[in-house]
Amino acid sequence: MPKVVFITKDQRSLTAPALAESIDAASEFHLEGDYLIGGLFDIHPVSTPLRHLRPEAIDCSSQPFSLSNYQRFQLMRFTVEEINNSTTLLPNVSLGYEIFDHCSDISNFPGIFDLISINGLIEPWTEGHQNVSSVVAVTGPFTSTQAINVAPLFMADLIPMVSYSSSSSVFTQKQKYGSFLRTAHPNSDTIEVIVNILLHFNWRWVAFLNSDTDYGQDGLDIFRERIKKTEICMGYSKTLSENSDYSNIFQQINAYGITVIIVFSSINSANAVLDSAIRLNVTNKVWVATDSWSLNKELPKKEGLKHIGTVVGVSQPVVPIPGFHEFIYSTDRQHLCGETRQQRLCNQVYNCSELSDEDIYAADPSFSFFVYSAIYAIAHALHNTLQCGAGRCINNMTVYPHMVLAELKKSNFTLLNQNIHFDENGDPGFGSYSVVFWNRRGEAQEVGFYHFYPSADFSINDSEIQWHTNGEVPVSLCSHECSVGFAKKQNGIHKCCFTCEICPNSTYINATEDPYTCVSCTDAEWSAEGSTSCSLRVVEFIPITDTGALVIMVAAWALVGLSLAVSVLFAINFNTPVVRSAGGPMCFLILICLSLCSICVYFHFGRPTAAACILRFLPFLLFYTVCLACFVVRSLQVVCIFKIAAKLPTLYSRWMRYHGQWWFIAVIFAIQAFLLLVGYGCRPPGPHNETVMYPSKIILSCDVGVEACTAPSIVLVTLCFLCFIFSYMGKDLPKNYNEAKSITFCLILLTLTWTLLFTIHILYQGKYIQTLNGLAIISSLYSFLLWYFVPKCVIIIFQPQRNTQQYFQGLIQSYTKTISQ
């Protein structure tokens, strides 16, 4: 079996007696036990990238000391000691630890190799492997980048790695990080709280500054994705590095009019941002801090911080750890400082000469409970692996790391009133966030909370926050909200930047569902300009019971009655001169056609149907054509009798012999019937809802197409014109024998009626237009009945002396003498 031999520089330099002496010495980094837990804490974090001219191991103690990370380091020691003193958890089993100062992202592998090696050797794991490392799990390291770099070494043998602060979302990829769990919440939870803060204060136009690390880039990606379904816009984003031009950054933020700045970064980057803002005199901003620096003890006390605006942020709740205070104050730190110079392995030493117990305990408490719960989770998993119970554990079994991992995934225990367990991604199924505000005393004051479990619960006490804007919540908007009834029209790529346009008639805006679109109302609804909803239109039509409709229909019945009466009267006096001069048999055709035309009137009232729309004008156009053709013939015959017969006797003789008048009427009827058949066949009239003229109403009417009525109407107008020409030619005929004058008068009435109707049609499209149409039709019918036939009836009934052959012959002879002279 091939082996990798790993010997540290310190091991090479120490003789056996010296090494034994170092191991026996009291050390804060090492504790012997039946099972060991590895610890990775960046007590001396590297603030800037290290550059080497030759290969050399990193000396973490030469870097700046981090008091908060040292506190977490001490908390791990305390937790292990507390577990060892427990009689219920891991009875008769002692826990130890091997802790390293993991100060660099890329230069701390000697410590990692020591944790995964067995007696200085790294062997591939095989079934039945006898040499097993006493390290059953590891907690740490602090940053996501550090965890990403070292995790593959632990994942290979499924050594549980329980992180107390690495929050990058990449660790949810279990195919790559199968043995990674964490007690710290992932970045997605932090972003969720930040977004809720922004929404709570209606901050829709923000800047996002993130550190140039896996943690910062992951936060940016999650934030960008999370705000897609909100009204929040990221107007500016910048990845920070040691060479960032903060003057240019703040100039651009001010140019965009952004008030709220999210700083998603490590404490070092956040410190650089705040220092630059103070130096550059940046004012009136809201700074949103993440849990990596929101509880820092030094930043809120910076001189000039109050001038840059207000700092609010997300933090982990401060959970007091019982007994930790006593542990810190009981440690003989001066003795330890002297002994730890003899370090067993690389990076197991720190400079503690000026540390005080008060400073350690008062350091930034962020991630403290996560360290505490991570060690307890490992202990409970080991407890279950060893099948501990009844005060004892199995002490003769071989414990492999993957066995502890299996129990870790099933963790379910209570610690300080919190139920510790993990979800399928290894993320914590417990915990919450606090919303903090940096008050004027330089303290992080809790003003709200976000509970994830058992269900999301978010609250902020606004009155506790002392804003830099004299108590008013700062505003951060690219564009102010539109007034009611206005839709947003996006300007550029950001949906938060827009102009407002009022929604026109027959549309409405639903700002809750889509504030960018004016939604059209349905045909049955309407809305005024700038509406937020549609109202049902009032449906209007002329019912049959309408007074005007009843009057017109009664008039139509009366017309039929009068036509019948005139027909009877004319039939009785058929051979009299008046009836013969009125047209004789043609009078009955005219009266029948007038009666048939009156059928149209009844279909102008009531709810329109397809059949009703066809019958509104079809009988009128067809049978009124016959009437006009008859009057054209009558006008022509009157003129012929008195003017043309004498001059063109042959033509007149043939006209009368071959019944030219009937042929003319028949041809006109056939032409009109054909035109109506073609027009109505191509474009049949149908029900139509008029919604344009009156937005709040639906006028039920008929859509009579131009194709259906144009040609038939031309025929009617042509007949009227011919009739008028022939009638005008006979204007000087005998007074008592002048049907031409009667016809002319009827035509004038007809022209006035329809001219008036067309004028009203242009100005008015309401429901009463149907009444006017019916009135125009009935008026057209009555014009011929009253002014052509009724005068004949008066002569027949009341002036019989004028209805004699002798009387008519006298008129003709008198007119003949007049024109011959």
Side-chain angles (χ1 to χ4, degrees):
M1 177 68 67
K3 300 181 180 180
V4 177
V5 180
F6 169 68
I7 302 176
T8 66
K9 175 182 177 182
D10 305 87
Q11 288 173 318
R12 293 197 306 268
S13 62
L14 293 176
T15 63
L19 179 60
E21 180 183 351
S22 175
I23 294 173
D24 292 337
S27 172
E28 290 188 298
F29 288 90
H30 175 76
L31 177 67
E32 290 291 345
D34 298 326
Y35 300 96
L36 297 183
I37 300 176
L40 302 174
F41 296 88
D42 52 348
I43 301 173
H44 302 86
V46 175
S47 57
T48 57
L50 298 176
R51 295 174 176 84
H52 302 293
L53 298 178
R54 62 178 184 175
E56 59 181 273
I58 186 172
D59 181 11
C60 291
S61 60
S62 64
Q63 300 299 314
F65 180 79
S66 172
L67 187 59
S68 58
N69 286 330
Y70 179 73
Q71 182 203 63
R72 296 171 195 127
F73 158 75
Q74 291 293 342
L75 184 57
M76 177 179 174
R77 297 183 59 249
F78 162 75
T79 306
V80 172
E81 181 178 306
E82 185 178 66
I83 293 171
N84 285 334
N85 292 332
S86 172
T87 58
T88 57
L89 183 61
L90 292 174
N92 78 306
V93 174
S94 64
L95 271 184
Y97 51 74
E98 193 72 68
I99 305 175
F100 291 92
D101 184 2
H102 196 82
C103 59
S104 171
D105 293 342
I106 57 176
S107 303
N108 276 122
F109 287 101
I112 305 301
F113 289 141
D114 183 77
L115 292 176
I116 64 177
S117 67
I118 304 170
N119 298 324
L121 304 176
I122 300 177
E123 299 183 11
W125 188 90
T126 59
E127 199 68 39
H129 196 75
Q130 295 300 319
N131 294 326
V132 179
S133 172
S134 56
V135 177
V136 295
V138 176
T139 185
F142 184 70
T143 70
S144 293
T145 301
Q146 291 171 350
I148 290 172
N149 289 337
V150 304
L153 297 174
F154 296 107
M155 302 299 110
D157 287 340
L158 293 180
I159 299 174
M161 186 177 178
V162 186
S163 177
Y164 55 84
S165 64
S166 300
S167 56
S168 174
S169 61
V170 71
F171 296 113
T172 60
Q173 302 174 18
K174 304 321 292 180
Q175 67 274 20
K176 294 176 62 176
Y177 303 97
S179 62
F180 183 93
L181 299 93
R182 54 184 163 195
T183 52
H185 286 278
N187 284 340
S188 57
D189 288 350
T190 306
I191 292 297
E192 183 65 29
V193 182
I194 290 176
V195 169
N196 275 271
I197 293 174
L198 300 179
L199 294 175
H200 178 81
F201 293 113
N202 197 34
W203 293 331
R204 309 299 172 91
W205 188 233
V206 301
F208 195 98
L209 306 180
N210 61 286
S211 56
D212 188 16
T213 60
D214 294 280
Y215 167 76
Q217 189 59 48
D218 185 61
L220 175 62
D221 294 340
I222 295 174
F223 182 76
R224 184 181 285 120
E225 184 66 26
R226 175 62 180 83
I227 63 176
K228 284 183 179 179
K229 297 180 180 180
T230 70
E231 292 298 315
I232 299 171
C233 295
M234 185 168 59
Y236 178 81
S237 64
K238 185 68 175 179
T239 298
L240 306 175
S241 66
E242 59 180 349
N243 299 318
S244 293
D245 184 354
Y246 288 101
S247 175
N248 181 58
I249 290 173
F250 291 126
Q251 282 181 5
Q252 292 189 60
I253 290 175
N254 287 330
Y256 289 130
I258 299 174
T259 304
V260 176
I261 304 173
I262 302 168
V263 184
F264 201 96
S265 70
S266 64
I267 187 171
N268 291 331
S269 296
N271 184 49
V273 169
L274 297 181
D275 283 343
S276 299
I278 295 171
R279 176 173 52 84
L280 296 170
N281 195 29
V282 177
T283 59
N284 300 323
K285 303 295 182 185
V286 175
W287 307 83
V288 180
T290 62
D291 53 351
S292 62
W293 60 279
S294 59
L295 294 183
N296 185 269
K297 301 295 184 178
E298 299 174 0
L299 294 183
K301 296 180 172 61
K302 280 183 176 290
E303 184 177 355
L305 186 70
K306 64 181 180 180
H307 300 298
I308 68 173
T310 305
V311 179
V312 296
V314 178
S315 75
Q316 298 127 24
V318 178
V319 180
I321 309 298
F324 184 53
H325 178 272
E326 292 77 7
F327 174 81
I328 292 296
Y329 280 83
S330 64
T331 303
D332 187 358
R333 203 160 315 285
Q334 295 302 321
H335 172 69
L336 291 173
C337 285
E339 295 293 337
T340 52
R341 289 300 176 186
Q342 292 181 325
Q343 53 180 324
R344 298 175 61 253
L345 302 169
C346 287
N347 297 320
Q348 288 189 323
V349 66
Y350 58 87
N351 183 6
C352 58
S353 59
E354 297 182 359
L355 287 181
S356 68
D357 295 337
E358 293 81 2
D359 292 337
I360 297 171
Y361 186 75
D364 181 356
S366 299
F367 307 102
S368 295
F369 180 73
F370 296 157
V371 174
Y372 189 65
S373 57
I375 304 302
Y376 261 97
I378 295 171
H380 275 274
L382 182 60
H383 180 93
N384 294 332
T385 302
L386 295 173
Q387 302 176 24
C388 298
R392 296 194 62 80
C393 300
I394 299 175
N395 56 12
N396 60 351
M397 68 179 296
T398 302
V399 176
Y400 295 101
H402 71 270
M403 299 167 63
V404 179
L405 174 63
E407 295 298 332
L408 263 171
K409 292 179 177 180
K410 297 185 288 187
S411 296
N412 193 354
F413 61 94
T414 301
L415 182 67
L416 299 184
N417 298 320
Q418 295 202 48
N419 180 250
I420 309 300
H421 63 282
F422 302 96
D423 62 18
E424 64 277 6
N425 294 321
D427 293 332
F430 60 93
S432 61
Y433 273 107
S434 294
V435 179
V436 296
F437 150 70
W438 287 6
N439 59 30
R440 294 172 182 172
R441 299 187 302 273
E443 300 171 347
Q445 176 183 341
E446 184 174 336
V447 295
F449 60 83
Y450 190 105
H451 295 285
F452 292 99
Y453 308 97
S455 60
D457 184 18
F458 176 71
S459 177
I460 294 181
N461 186 355
D462 300 1
S463 61
E464 294 288 327
I465 303 177
Q466 301 168 348
W467 300 107
H468 62 274
T469 49
N470 299 323
E472 296 292 329
V473 177
V475 176
S476 188
L477 300 171
C478 181
S479 300
H480 288 277
E481 285 298 313
C482 295
S483 302
V484 176
F486 284 75
K488 299 176 181 178
K489 183 179 180 182
Q490 184 172 322
N491 294 334
I493 62 173
H494 295 294
K495 59 187 175 183
C496 300
C497 302
F498 50 82
T499 55
C500 299
E501 295 181 352
I502 193 167
C503 289
N505 292 332
S506 298
T507 65
Y508 71 98
I509 182 73
N510 188 337
T512 303
E513 294 185 1
D514 184 4
Y516 297 90
T517 306
C518 294
V519 182
S520 298
C521 298
T522 63
D523 291 340
E525 298 175 325
W526 77 285
S527 66
E529 188 179 61
S531 296
T532 57
S533 62
C534 293
S535 302
L536 287 176
R537 295 176 186 264
V538 178
V539 179
E540 291 189 348
F541 61 93
I542 303 298
I544 296 178
T545 56
D546 181 76
T547 303
L550 291 174
V551 170
I552 292 174
M553 287 189 291
V554 169
W557 279 109
L559 183 137
V560 174
L562 286 174
S563 297
L564 181 60
V566 171
S567 298
V568 172
L569 182 62
F570 274 35
I572 295 173
N573 298 276
F574 183 75
N575 294 317
T576 61
V578 170
V579 175
R580 303 295 291 180
S581 65
M586 199 174 293
C587 294
F588 299 105
L589 177 60
I590 295 173
L591 291 171
I592 291 172
C593 288
L594 290 176
S595 299
L596 291 174
C597 288
S598 66
I599 295 175
C600 298
V601 172
Y602 304 104
F603 296 101
H604 279 76
F605 309 109
R607 186 178 291 271
T609 63
C613 289
I614 292 174
L615 294 174
R616 279 194 177 185
F617 290 102
L618 180 62
F620 179 78
L621 291 173
L622 182 61
F623 297 113
Y624 207 72
T625 300
V626 177
C627 293
L628 288 177
C630 292
F631 284 113
V632 169
V633 171
R634 287 302 306 145
S635 301
L636 178 61
Q637 287 182 333
V638 170
V639 173
C640 287
I641 291 172
F642 290 95
K643 293 189 175 183
I644 299 178
K647 299 179 180 179
L648 299 171
T650 303
L651 179 61
Y652 180 73
S653 174
R654 291 181 178 178
W655 173 268
M656 296 302 296
R657 182 188 311 154
Y658 295 106
H659 305 289
Q661 67 272 27
W662 296 109
W663 279 107
F664 179 80
I665 295 171
V667 169
I668 294 298
F669 175 79
I671 293 174
Q672 186 71 317
F674 174 77
L675 294 176
L676 288 170
L677 181 63
V678 173
Y680 274 63
C682 295
R683 181 71 162 77
H688 171 68
N689 298 337
E690 173 56 50
T691 58
V692 177
M693 294 295 292
Y694 302 95
S696 63
K697 300 176 182 180
I698 297 179
I699 308 297
L700 301 185
S701 62
C702 289
D703 180 18
V704 182
V706 176
E707 300 91 337
C709 294
T710 300
S713 299
I714 292 174
V715 172
L716 282 176
V717 172
T718 302
L719 291 174
C720 287
F721 180 75
L722 292 175
C723 193
F724 185 81
I725 294 297
F726 294 144
S727 299
Y728 183 78
M729 290 173 62
K731 68 181 186 301
D732 57 345
L733 296 178
K735 180 179 179 181
N736 293 327
Y737 191 56
N738 195 352
E739 283 80 6
K741 291 183 179 180
S742 299
I743 294 173
T744 302
F745 185 72
C746 293
L747 291 174
I748 292 174
L749 291 179
L750 179 65
T751 303
L752 291 175
T753 299
W754 288 98
T755 301
L756 180 61
L757 178 65
F758 290 144
T759 304
I760 295 174
H761 258 288
I762 295 173
L763 302 176
Y764 174 72
Q765 293 292 330
K767 67 176 182 177
Y768 290 105
I769 200 68
Q770 308 306 326
T771 302
L772 295 176
N773 286 340
L775 183 61
I777 290 174
I778 207 72
S779 299
S780 301
L781 301 180
Y782 268 104
S783 64
F784 284 114
L785 181 65
L786 294 179
W787 303 107
Y788 185 80
F789 288 102
V790 171
K792 314 298 182 187
C793 296
V794 171
I795 293 174
I796 293 173
I797 298 173
F798 300 106
Q799 299 175 346
Q801 70 277 8
R802 297 175 59 186
N803 189 19
T804 62
Q805 189 74 22
Q806 294 79 8
Y807 182 78
F808 271 76
Q809 288 180 350
L811 291 176
I812 294 173
Q813 292 174 358
S814 176
Y815 177 76
T816 303
K817 291 179 181 180
T818 301
I819 62 173
S820 62
Q821 294 176 357

